[in-house]
């Protein structure tokens, strides 16, 4: 039965165009093709990146935080109370008003004291500033390395400048060593992010991040198996370009380099809008949606790959809305501050 299921899952007509079979992608005559077995290398790569991350955060990010004077805020610990601690761990971190009254009866504490206890207890669970700084530093360093590594791997490739070349000879396109290492590095990184979800800082868009990581890993795995490697490398470079700026803005924000952080965030917002809302849908998705049909009739793998790209695009739209809202607040706040400063200056003129 398992053999039958496996044969159905790997049925040639599902993943390959036309009448091609997997035998057409066997290594011969000096040509090497991407294989499923190659993906196993992403696991040790992810584990190695976790070790590199640990060393980076301990021996680079932490000393850098010390140099910039980044300190965790001093938080008052919650009082020892087994009843409230049990409720906090097993029920909810944010009790309703009725729950607070019930806990007041059980503990003999006044309402205000119970509310303060829960606030302090929640604060104990929140990650410190130094941890946020270390994580942002690591992601910024990786995206910077991956982006320039991708540029070096792609700058002389014809399909970068003519997207029709992405499908030239598809799927019989030889695998280049630079493509192999670029893919394994990116897959290992996103796999390491999945492994570290439990102890990383949980952000407001945690669920969206999980969807993004899983969609990215699915896309990378499928594009590798079906030899959509050329378009896969382009997608990775486009995504890494703006991620560097976002993580860099966070790093400088934690270091209280506010002007640098604000400027970098504005540049990030522009790059994000251009790459994720223009280049990605109107160049890359257009490339995967239109050009293959000029060579082959549509097949399941074609639809699957494009649907996963659309999932990423929906996430881009969600994040773009958040970014625009942040930019609006930033500009509006700056405008109000500048207006008040001007009014105060004009008002103080006659007095002085």
């Amino acid at each position: 039965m398992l053999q039958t299921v496996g044969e159905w899952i790997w049925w040639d007509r599902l993943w390959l165009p036309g009448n091609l079979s997997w035998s057409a992608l066997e290594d011969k005559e000096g040509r090497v093709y991407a294989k499923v077995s190659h993906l196993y290398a992403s696991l040790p790569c992810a584990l190695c990146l976790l070790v590199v991350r640990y060393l980076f955060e301990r021996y680079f990010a932490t000393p850098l935080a010390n140099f910039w004077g980044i300190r965790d805020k001093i938080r008052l610990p919650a009082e020892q109370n087994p009843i409230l601690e049990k409720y906090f761990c097993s029920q909810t971190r944010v009790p309703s008003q009725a729950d607070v009254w019930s806990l007041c009866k059980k503990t003999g504490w006044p309402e205000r004291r119970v509310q303060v206890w829960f606030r302090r207890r929640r604060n104990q669970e929140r990650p410190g500033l130094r941890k946020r700084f270390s994580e942002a530093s690591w992601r910024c360093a990786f995206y910077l390395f991956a982006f320039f590594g991708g540029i070096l791997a792609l700058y002389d490739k014809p399909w970068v400048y003519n997207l029709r070349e992405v499908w030239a000879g598809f799927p019989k396109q030889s695998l280049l060593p630079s493509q192999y290492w670029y893919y394994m590095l990116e897959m290992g990184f996103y796999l390491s992010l999945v492994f570290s979800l439990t102890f990383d800082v949980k952000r407001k868009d945690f669920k969206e991040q999980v969807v993004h990581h899983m969609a990215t890993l699915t896309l990378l795995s499928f594009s590798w198996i079906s030899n959509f490697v050329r378009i896969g490398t382009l997608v990775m470079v486009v995504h890494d370009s703006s991620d560097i700026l976002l993580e860099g803005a966070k790093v400088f924000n934690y270091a209280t380099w506010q002007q640098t952080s604000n400027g970098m965030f504005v540049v990030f917002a522009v790059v994000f809008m251009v790459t994720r809302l223009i280049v990605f849908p109107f160049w890359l998705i257009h490339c995967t949606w239109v050009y293959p049909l000029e060579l082959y009739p549509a097949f399941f793998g074609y639809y699957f790959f494009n649907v996963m790209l659309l999932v990423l695009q929906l996430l881009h739209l969600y994040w773009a809305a958040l970014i625009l809202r942040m930019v609006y607040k930033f500009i509006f706040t700056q405008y109000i501050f500048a207006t008040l400063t001007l009014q105060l200056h004009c008002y103080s003129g006659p007095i002085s």
Side-chain angles (χ1 to χ4, degrees), residues 246-306:
L246 174 62
E247 300 302 334
K250 292 180 182 179
V251 168
F252 287 113
N253 179 58
Y254 297 142
T256 64
W257 289 32
Q258 208 57 51
Q259 294 296 329
T260 304
S261 176
N262 292 342
M264 189 170 287
F265 181 78
V266 171
V267 176
F268 155 74
V270 173
V271 173
F272 183 94
M273 298 302 169
V274 172
T275 56
R276 306 288 183 97
L277 302 187
I278 298 177
V279 174
F280 185 73
F282 296 108
W283 268 266
L284 300 186
I285 293 183
H286 179 269
C287 173
T288 63
W289 196 271
V290 176
Y291 296 158
L293 298 181
E294 297 176 356
L295 303 173
Y296 301 100
F299 56 103
F300 174 79
Y302 162 85
Y303 291 116
F304 181 82
F305 188 69
N306 280 288

Side-chain angles (χ1 to χ4, degrees), residues 10 35-46 180 184 187 191 224:
W10 296 108
K35 300 178 182 62
V36 179
S37 58
H38 292 159
L39 296 178
Y40 294 128
S42 63
L43 180 58
C45 185
Y180 173 83
M184 292 304 109
M187 288 197 67
L191 196 58
W224 183 266

